[in-house]
Amino acid sequence: MNTNRLSPQMQEALIKQMTKEAHASQIFLSYGCWADVKGYGGIANFLYRHSQEERNHMIKFMRYILDRGGEARVEAIPAPPENPFNLTDAFNKVFEHEVDNTTAIYEIVNLSFEEKDWATWNFMQWFVKEQIEEEKLALELIDKLKIAGGDSASDESLFTLDKALESAPDDVSLPQEATAENPS
Ligand SMILES: [Fe+2]
Ligand SMILES: [Fe+2]
């Protein structure tokens, strides 16, 4: 009797995503080290925390594959990319990595739709929502740096930005939660 509730194609797609989340975790860890070396302890802290979130995502995929009777497989994680060359580049790349991950998430949603695998479709909606938050978080980084002066930001404004990111929350609110009293 086949007790695996995932199609072979779906199982492989989910394993691939496990590795992709692990890769994202390594990328943010690596960027965190880069920021730390540059003296931006607050930004580094923010990136380390984000790295941990990506690892949690990997675990969620692992758990789901196993809970559906599938076989989870831990694969080699590609090396993180080159270090960013400045903060603008770093934050732009954080955003790009998130968009790239959203695309990968959408591909699994498409596959679940094609297969009428509604359990996976339902599971994936958590990640669709999560990516709205993650992209917003990355956009906010870009905005904050722009306001601080971008590439020509003064040391003082970078100091303030770094401090702010040290204690910045990991979560942002979803548009669904906005009300007329509290639109932000
Ligand atoms: Fe993720
Ligand atoms: Fe992410």
Side-chain angles (χ1 to χ4, degrees), residues 21 24 53-54 57 98 101 127 130-131 134:
E21 300 290 347
E53 274 211 22
E54 300 296 354
H57 295 165
E98 290 299 349
N101 198 37
F127 284 95
E130 178 69 9
Q131 285 308 115
E134 302 253 290

Side-chain angles (χ1 to χ4, degrees), residues 101-174:
N101 198 37
T102 303
T103 306
I105 298 283
Y106 287 1
E107 277 170 19
I108 301 175
V109 176
N110 287 342
L111 182 63
S112 68
F113 192 86
E114 277 167 30
E115 290 189 357
K116 296 187 165 52
D117 175 353
W118 304 122
T120 303
W121 188 89
N122 181 268
F123 170 71
M124 291 306 296
Q125 296 311 304
W126 187 89
F127 284 95
V128 171
K129 180 176 78 70
E130 178 69 9
Q131 285 308 115
I132 297 173
E133 289 187 39
E134 302 253 290
E135 287 186 21
K136 179 178 174 181
L137 208 58
L139 275 176
E140 281 182 0
L141 287 181
I142 293 173
D143 284 347
K144 281 185 182 127
L145 182 60
K146 262 190 211 152
I147 291 165
D151 289 340
S152 50
S154 68
D155 287 347
E156 199 187 345
S157 59
L158 285 178
F159 180 82
T160 310
L161 175 71
D162 189 58
K163 270 270 157 275
L165 284 175
E166 175 139 44
S167 52
D170 299 321
D171 296 315
V172 286
S173 57
L174 281 164

